[in-house]
Amino acid sequence: MDVSTASQPQPPQVTPLAEGLTARTFAPALDADGNPDAGTGAFHRAVALGFYESTPTDERMRLQEQVLVGDGQRITGVYVDPGSASLKHWGEAHEQLTYGSEHPVGTFIDFDKTLNAGGPQLIDAFLITGVTVDASYRRRGILKHLMTSRLAAAVEDGKAVALLTASEGSIYGRFGFGPATREHQVRINVSRAGEAFGLRRQPSGRVLTADPSKLGDVIDEVFAGHHAVTRGSVGRLPDYRRYGTGEWTPDDITTPWRGARAIIHVKDDGRIGGYAVFTFRGWDEEPFTMRISDLIAVDAESQIELIRHLSAMDMVERISWDGAPAEDPLRWALVNPRARRAARESDVLWVRVLDVQKALENRAWGADGDFTLEVADPLGIVSGRWRVVVRAGSAQVAAVTGDRDSGPLLRTDAETLGSMYLGDVSVRTMHSAGRAEAAPADLDLISAVMDLPTAPHCATHF
């Protein structure tokens, strides 16, 4: 067996567009008055159309684009060539009745953040959002071109992983993405009757009512602490600060969010350990409900104390929280675990490994051990074999060439590796599902090395 000193990810072959379509990648731009330029405005109106949203007003566009420009986002649009369209039987209708040639029929947004995979350092990640294809231009290679061309750019830029959140669950597996974190939509009964709320642990620290408009730095600092210790966490967009401080209303960012309320947990040593932004659902909704919009804590202590405070507020009978961790210590801190009910479970983060060596050397591991990982990748980015050696919780990974040795071997594909990467699903489960191959004698060792004792959590939506 020959072991190379580094893996070499291969950019995927870029799928060509159908005749008459052209792709352009550019940075969103503002004019001298701080408004989006014509190309940027047309692009984001197309994104809104693709997600069945209302056409954004000029003021909303201005505010949103200022943030996106500052965040360094990149946009790629696919456009109908006017000259080509004019030769088609539908060319006249296209020119007279559609949104125009400056309006893309395919959209793709990407930007850079970091991912906590539980390893020695945060990982540089390539984030994807705003993916749409106009229904009039399906089966023209638009999605495949957008995905392969931008993943090629991410590989060439040296990114270890690509990440996205998916509106539909059947689209992205073919591109090597697998769902890797989950969250619960929970309803917590805090009434005095029935499944009454009560906690087993004694209160600690102090929860204070906070003025949302003063929380900007706290939001950033608490999230930074949470991000540093939470496997599955992804760096956030600037939008979270604007919503959390009440500068933007979720349904209309052109108006302040006057219904937003906030609390902070101050630990016994004076540090702020967490915050929650929430709203009261109104007297017409029964049971009377506080809805958590964002709750971030550096540890379980601060999370539980924030929930305790909300549970004790006068007249409140229910707390709703759509972004609760799938593996939540709150459930086990309750005297009656049925007071917390999961109304729905959904996936959040989808992971696509772009560089096996970088990705695996910066993830967490369950035990020491050695094995060979063989990956099949339909896009060819990470096809190959790697020797994984884990010692004291740290991995050394190198590409293998030549004949494989006789050690334990795990065979899987890029999509499955993405789902297993953060530890949300075990090797054994994927083996039982027929998505990972290992000899029975190897499965125990590989499972012990690769599987992790707790579930990851991602509180960032994008």
Side-chain angles (χ1 to χ4, degrees):
M1 176 188 69
D2 298 323
V3 178
S4 69
T5 58
S7 60
Q8 296 295 325
Q10 298 299 312
Q13 182 176 356
V14 177
T15 302
L17 289 166
E19 184 180 0
L21 298 176
T22 303
R24 297 200 302 270
T25 299
F26 55 101
L30 305 175
D31 62 21
D33 296 323
N35 297 310
D37 64 14
T40 301
F43 179 92
H44 282 285
R45 283 190 290 272
V47 173
L49 183 67
F51 284 103
Y52 310 134
E53 298 172 353
S54 299
T55 301
T57 64
D58 290 343
E59 179 63 9
R60 179 186 177 98
M61 291 277 290
R62 184 182 68 82
L63 293 172
Q64 188 73 65
E65 292 305 325
Q66 288 176 355
V67 172
L68 300 185
V69 168
D71 200 39
Q73 299 197 5
R74 300 168 293 264
I75 56 183
T76 302
V78 173
Y79 300 85
V80 177
D81 175 34
S84 175
S86 67
L87 301 177
K88 306 293 185 180
H89 70 276
W90 43 263
E92 183 177 352
H94 171 78
E95 183 173 343
Q96 295 181 3
L97 299 175
T98 69
Y99 288 94
S101 298
E102 74 282 358
H103 181 96
V105 297
T107 65
F108 192 103
I109 303 172
D110 58 77
F111 52 103
D112 302 329
K113 295 293 179 184
T114 56
L115 168 69
N116 184 332
Q121 62 185 16
L122 299 177
I123 298 173
D124 291 332
F126 180 83
L127 275 62
I128 298 167
T129 189
V131 180
T132 73
V133 176
D134 187 320
S136 298
Y137 293 89
R138 290 175 176 166
R139 307 293 183 264
R140 305 291 299 279
I142 292 175
L143 177 58
K144 288 183 179 179
H145 174 83
L146 288 169
M147 189 63 73
T148 54
S149 64
R150 297 310 298 156
L151 287 180
V155 170
E156 290 167 357
D157 195 39
K159 294 295 189 293
V161 294
L163 311 173
L164 56 80
T165 56
S167 300
E168 296 182 63
S170 60
I171 296 176
Y172 297 105
R174 58 183 162 143
F175 298 110
F177 289 86
T181 73
R182 295 165 293 129
E183 68 182 12
H184 283 173
Q185 180 189 80
V186 301
R187 303 294 178 260
I188 305 170
N189 183 351
V190 296
S191 66
R192 297 179 182 274
E195 297 166 353
F197 183 91
L199 289 166
R200 297 174 182 272
R201 60 187 297 164
Q202 293 299 309
S204 63
R206 180 71 178 269
V207 175
L208 300 175
T209 299
D211 178 350
S213 68
K214 299 178 180 179
L215 277 189
D217 290 344
V218 169
I219 288 172
D220 292 345
E221 290 165 7
V222 170
F223 181 78
H226 166 90
H227 187 44
V229 299
T230 305
R231 179 165 35 88
S233 178
V234 175
R236 283 187 151 184
L237 284 72
D239 302 39
Y240 279 93
R241 176 172 173 137
R242 285 164 173 77
Y243 291 126
T245 58
E247 180 182 346
W248 287 359
T249 300
D251 294 331
D252 181 8
I253 68 173
T254 64
T255 61
W257 192 10
R258 301 191 185 282
R261 300 292 181 264
I263 53 177
I264 56 173
H265 177 241
V266 184
K267 291 178 169 289
D268 289 328
D269 61 6
R271 293 180 298 122
I272 297 176
Y275 71 87
V277 178
F278 59 96
T279 54
F280 179 59
R281 294 297 297 264
W283 299 112
D284 294 332
E285 180 173 321
E286 294 185 357
F288 300 144
T289 300
M290 285 295 187
R291 179 180 182 274
I292 297 173
S293 298
D294 191 27
L295 189 159
I296 298 295
V298 299
D299 55 27
E301 174 198 27
S302 289
Q303 177 199 324
I304 290 170
E305 293 307 318
L306 291 166
I307 297 291
R308 187 200 302 272
H309 183 87
L310 292 173
S311 75
M313 297 182 77
D314 291 343
M315 306 292 289
V316 176
E317 299 172 311
R318 173 187 286 174
I319 298 169
S320 70
W321 184 13
D322 290 352
E327 187 172 309
D328 190 353
L330 173 66
R331 178 185 177 192
W332 302 106
L334 291 166
V335 174
N336 182 353
R338 294 183 182 178
R340 177 199 182 276
R341 291 184 179 271
R344 185 182 68 191
E345 179 181 278
S346 55
D347 57 71
V348 181
L349 193 66
W350 290 57
V351 173
R352 207 288 181 207
V353 173
L354 300 177
D355 186 316
V356 171
Q357 182 185 24
K358 288 180 181 178
L360 296 189
E361 289 186 345
N362 287 288
R363 85 181 287 271
W365 297 91
D368 289 354
D370 307 355
F371 68 96
T372 299
L373 173 67
E374 185 173 307
V375 183
D377 185 351
L379 297 188
I381 299 173
V382 293
S383 296
R385 287 174 290 162
W386 284 264
R387 187 64 176 165
V388 181
V389 178
V390 181
R391 297 288 184 270
S394 180
Q396 289 188 332
V397 180
V400 174
T401 60
D403 295 334
R404 189 187 70 83
D405 67 8
S406 58
L409 170 66
L410 175 67
R411 287 192 176 99
T412 191
D413 55 47
E415 178 187 2
T416 304
L417 180 62
S419 288
M420 294 191 297
Y421 179 60
L422 295 174
D424 190 53
V425 60
S426 70
V427 173
R428 286 189 175 280
T429 297
M430 286 305 198
H431 182 269
S432 297
R435 296 180 57 178
E437 298 179 18
D442 296 343
L443 191 59
D444 286 343
L445 181 145
I446 296 171
S447 176
V449 173
M450 196 164 183
D451 293 341
L452 301 173
T454 59
H457 176 57
C458 178
T460 299
H461 291 245
F462 54 95

